[in-house]
Amino acid sequence: MTAERVESVLELLTYTKGVTGVVVCNRDGQPIRDSFQDLDRTRAVEYADMAAELAREAAPLLYADDTLDSLRVRSRTSEVIIKCHDEFLLVVIQEFSE
Amino acid sequence: MTAERVESVLELLTYTKGVTGVVVCNRDGQPIRDSFQDLDRTRAMEYADMAAELAREAAPLLYADDTLDSLRVRSRTSEVIIKCHDEFLLVVIQEFSE
């Protein structure tokens, strides 16, 4: 996937109704791209770190020969979706309308 | 919910197509009910412990005033769904038909 393609997919996700944040990070929890506006990337760093940790913790729940595909963490008002790849994680944060 | 009601819901889940296991445990990871057949409850204890750990790890991903409702851990062939309650967790393991 070219860099331009990645950017357009991220933009599509970012401006999807209900989506409040998007982060792409590596498996070590270092953010590569994010949709937040803060200059020091605090929120991206926090989400990336927590998502990477959770992906590590979740793997043992699956069968030994299985690979983690995605994780969903849901509350009454919002959901964090973590899509997993060998090297990268895509984190999407969405809120539900009340 | 009466004990009979709990048992009937568990039975309904257990015999749902694609479901390969059901565990009810407390937040400390101690299994209370399970659908596995092993006498020493090894699998139930493993799932309960991992689910409780994951529920703890997942909470920080949500907003401070939010409560974890459910978690889904998915691979290409199976999914583990963890439904959360103040005191208990319901863990359902399902496999997808190929």
Side-chain angles (χ1 to χ4, degrees):
Chain A
M1 188 176 273
T2 64
E4 288 83 5
R5 180 80 173 125
V6 171
E7 291 298 336
S8 65
V9 170
L10 287 180
E11 187 158 346
L12 181 67
L13 285 169
T14 299
Y15 293 105
T16 299
K17 185 171 156 57
V19 171
T20 58
V22 181
V23 180
V24 178
C25 62
N26 67 13
R27 285 282 189 155
D28 295 324
Q30 291 159 8
I32 296 164
R33 288 279 194 284
D34 72 271
S35 67
F36 302 116
Q37 300 304 313
D38 51 333
L39 288 180
D40 61 356
R41 308 186 82 193
T42 303
R43 290 189 72 193
V45 170
E46 284 172 358
Y47 274 112
D49 194 54
M50 289 190 287
E53 177 71 21
L54 208 62
R56 264 192 304 274
E57 295 277 340
L61 265 173
L62 301 168
Y63 298 115
D65 61 341
D66 240 337
T67 304
L68 182 62
D69 180 79
S70 70
L71 261 155
R72 289 177 172 248
V73 182
R74 187 174 175 130
S75 75
R76 194 179 37 83
T77 60
S78 66
E79 182 169 35
V80 178
I81 303 161
I82 303 167
K83 180 70 179 178
C84 308
H85 170 272
D86 283 351
E87 298 176 51
F88 304 105
L89 302 173
L90 171 65
V91 186
V92 177
I93 303 133
Q94 60 174 349
E95 288 185 11
F96 311 126
S97 43
E98 294 284 317
Chain B
M1 188 177 274
T2 63
E4 288 83 4
R5 180 81 173 122
V6 172
E7 291 298 336
S8 65
V9 170
L10 287 180
E11 186 158 346
L12 182 67
L13 286 170
T14 299
Y15 293 105
T16 299
K17 184 171 156 59
V19 171
T20 58
V22 181
V23 180
V24 178
C25 61
N26 66 12
R27 285 280 190 156
D28 296 324
Q30 291 159 8
I32 297 165
R33 288 279 194 285
D34 72 89
S35 68
F36 302 116
Q37 299 305 313
D38 52 332
L39 287 180
D40 61 355
R41 307 186 83 191
T42 303
R43 290 189 72 193
M45 284 171 54
E46 284 172 357
Y47 275 111
D49 194 55
M50 288 190 286
E53 177 71 21
L54 208 63
R56 262 191 307 272
E57 295 275 341
L61 265 173
L62 301 167
Y63 298 114
D65 61 341
D66 239 337
T67 304
L68 182 62
D69 180 79
S70 70
L71 261 155
R72 288 176 173 250
V73 182
R74 188 175 173 128
S75 75
R76 194 178 38 82
T77 60
S78 67
E79 182 170 34
V80 178
I81 303 161
I82 302 167
K83 181 70 179 177
C84 308
H85 170 272
D86 282 351
E87 297 176 51
F88 304 106
L89 303 173
L90 170 64
V91 186
V92 178
I93 304 132
Q94 60 174 349
E95 288 185 10
F96 311 126
S97 42
E98 294 284 317

